Amino acid sequence: MNKLSLLIILLAALWGCQSKSGKAKISGELTNAGNDTIYLYGTDELTNLMDTVYVTNNEFSHSLETDTLASGVLLFTKSNKKIPFYFNKGDKVTLSGDLEHPVIQGNVPNEQLTAFLQSIRYGSAPQSEQLKQAEAFIRSNTDSKVCVYIIKNYFLKAENPDYKKIKELIGVLTGPMRDDPYIYSLSEQIDKQSQLAVGNVAPYFSLPDVNGKRVARSDIKDKYILLNFWASWSTHSRKEYASLRKLHKTYGSKSNFTQIGISVDVDKETWKLAVKADTLNWQQLCDLGGWESPTVKQFMVRALPTYYLLAPDGKIVLQSNKSSAVEAKLKELLTK
């Protein structure tokens, strides 16, 4: 073999090693995916946008840079479907099946995640069954990164999160998992979130209304207060407006009830236009701080809409992301 041939072989080998090192490939062929745009997020799906991927005729493919096992979320923009997945260097992650019931393969965490999602019928099982399966998974897989996803999406997002149970489940994780930066941050978050549990006094707030006048929680006496966190750019928020207008029409005239919208907007004119266009005829507040607003942080708002129902003594009666839950609670409290 001559020197030139040997050099070509060596260069090809080096190139092959470099192309595999630090790279993971994710591809999918999903029925009903059609032609779509996917936003690929890292662990924090609110802010950590990693890339944009395009789906053509139900298929997509993308490469990711990574040096260690990491997690991500695929957001299909047309259906708003979110699919979590895990990837490591050298992995070939595949998604197959139906968009609503994807089979995720390519490494152990993805296969564990798929098995869990199948056990709860991809979220169609009753919440009690989902939590039962979620706890069983965590106790049987104490060193799996999937535990983080399950704690966050099934225990923290339950209608009335059991923070004692969440702390207990974090406690059964192996040492390396408890040392994971996200789990450590999650533990701190849970400590803060537990202060917002039903029965605790809600945080104090003071915010300007559309005319610049400040409104404080302590200004409102002897009333149930419904706080609605929303934003003009949030499609989920706007889908709930009809329900909120119905609540305002039903209970707005009662002397012991008031409704307050708190916006996560950052532009004053956009916020005010949305208030007017969507006929939000109850008190609207906004400090234009967005996600960095002290009030938004105090109430640990991580998704829109978010509702808090406060009793006349300032204690939290209900925390939910669904107007139907608010409507049921108000019916129970205000129609006696």
Side-chain angles (χ1 to χ4, degrees), residues 244-308:
L244 292 176
R245 285 192 288 267
K246 179 182 175 184
L247 291 177
H248 182 64
K249 183 178 180 180
T250 303
Y251 302 109
S253 61
K254 287 185 175 289
S255 61
N256 64 339
F257 174 77
T258 191
Q259 196 166 333
I260 297 176
I262 300 178
S263 174
V264 185
D265 276 284
V266 294
D267 181 81
K268 188 173 184 178
E269 290 308 311
T270 302
W271 165 54
K272 290 174 72 173
L273 283 171
V275 170
K276 184 176 180 179
D278 293 302
T279 325
L280 307 183
N281 294 328
W282 50 92
Q283 207 158 38
Q284 298 292 335
L285 311 178
C286 183
D287 62 4
L288 305 178
W291 293 110
E292 296 304 311
S293 164
T295 302
V296 171
K297 287 186 172 183
Q298 278 181 310
F299 280 88
M300 297 291 290
V301 177
R302 299 287 292 170
L304 298 176
T306 290
Y307 303 102
Y308 281 91

Side-chain angles (χ1 to χ4, degrees), residues 21-230:
S21 176
K23 289 271 190 179
K25 183 178 179 181
I26 180 168
S27 60
E29 184 173 353
L30 294 167
T31 306
N32 300 329
N35 299 313
D36 201 353
T37 300
I38 301 173
Y39 292 146
L40 198 162
Y41 290 92
T43 300
D44 185 352
E45 60 194 76
L46 287 175
T47 59
N48 189 15
L49 178 62
M50 295 168 60
D51 220 329
T52 302
V53 184
Y54 298 99
V55 186
T56 304
N57 297 327
N58 300 324
E59 298 182 12
F60 66 92
S61 180
H62 191 70
S63 292
L64 294 162
E65 293 281 352
T66 184
D67 292 320
T68 186
L69 180 63
S71 62
V73 175
L74 298 169
L75 171 60
F76 289 74
T77 55
K78 286 185 178 179
S79 63
N80 204 42
K81 173 70 175 177
K82 295 179 181 179
I83 300 178
F85 69 99
Y86 296 86
F87 59 100
N88 204 344
K89 57 183 178 182
D91 283 348
K92 292 183 178 179
V93 177
T94 63
L95 283 78
S96 59
D98 187 86
L99 178 62
E100 295 301 318
H101 310 98
V103 175
I104 314 164
Q105 297 175 306
N107 56 37
V108 172
N110 284 328
E111 289 160 10
Q112 290 176 328
L113 176 62
T114 296
F116 168 72
L117 292 174
Q118 289 174 340
S119 76
I120 61 167
R121 302 192 292 281
Y122 290 89
S124 65
Q127 187 180 74
S128 59
E129 179 64 20
Q130 292 184 42
L131 293 178
K132 180 181 176 181
Q133 294 292 340
E135 181 172 356
F137 177 93
I138 292 169
R139 293 189 182 278
S140 300
N141 301 276
T142 57
D143 60 349
S144 173
K145 280 189 174 290
V146 180
C147 293
V148 178
Y149 170 81
I150 289 176
I151 289 171
K152 177 181 177 184
N153 288 277
Y154 293 89
F155 288 96
L156 275 178
K157 291 185 179 179
E159 279 299 324
N160 291 298
D162 184 343
Y163 298 107
K164 184 178 179 181
K165 172 64 71 175
I166 296 170
K167 291 288 282 187
E168 177 189 329
L169 292 174
I170 288 177
V172 306
L173 299 178
T174 59
M177 280 299 299
R178 288 200 303 272
D179 292 337
D180 180 276
Y182 186 78
I183 284 288
Y184 183 81
S185 172
L186 190 59
S187 296
E188 288 190 327
Q189 178 185 339
I190 290 167
D191 289 338
K192 293 178 181 177
Q193 192 87 44
S194 62
Q195 298 171 19
L196 295 168
V198 170
N200 289 350
V201 175
Y204 170 85
F205 63 84
S206 175
L207 295 165
D209 65 13
V210 291
N211 298 313
K213 180 183 176 182
R214 296 198 75 85
V215 177
R217 179 172 68 79
S218 56
D219 296 336
I220 304 166
K221 309 291 186 183
D222 304 320
K223 290 178 183 285
Y224 285 97
I225 306 172
L226 174 59
L227 302 179
N228 161 222
F229 289 87
W230 66 286

Side-chain angles (χ1 to χ4, degrees), residues 1-7 9:
M1 184 181 292
N2 61 40
K3 291 182 179 179
L4 180 58
S5 298
L6 181 61
L7 179 61
I9 292 170

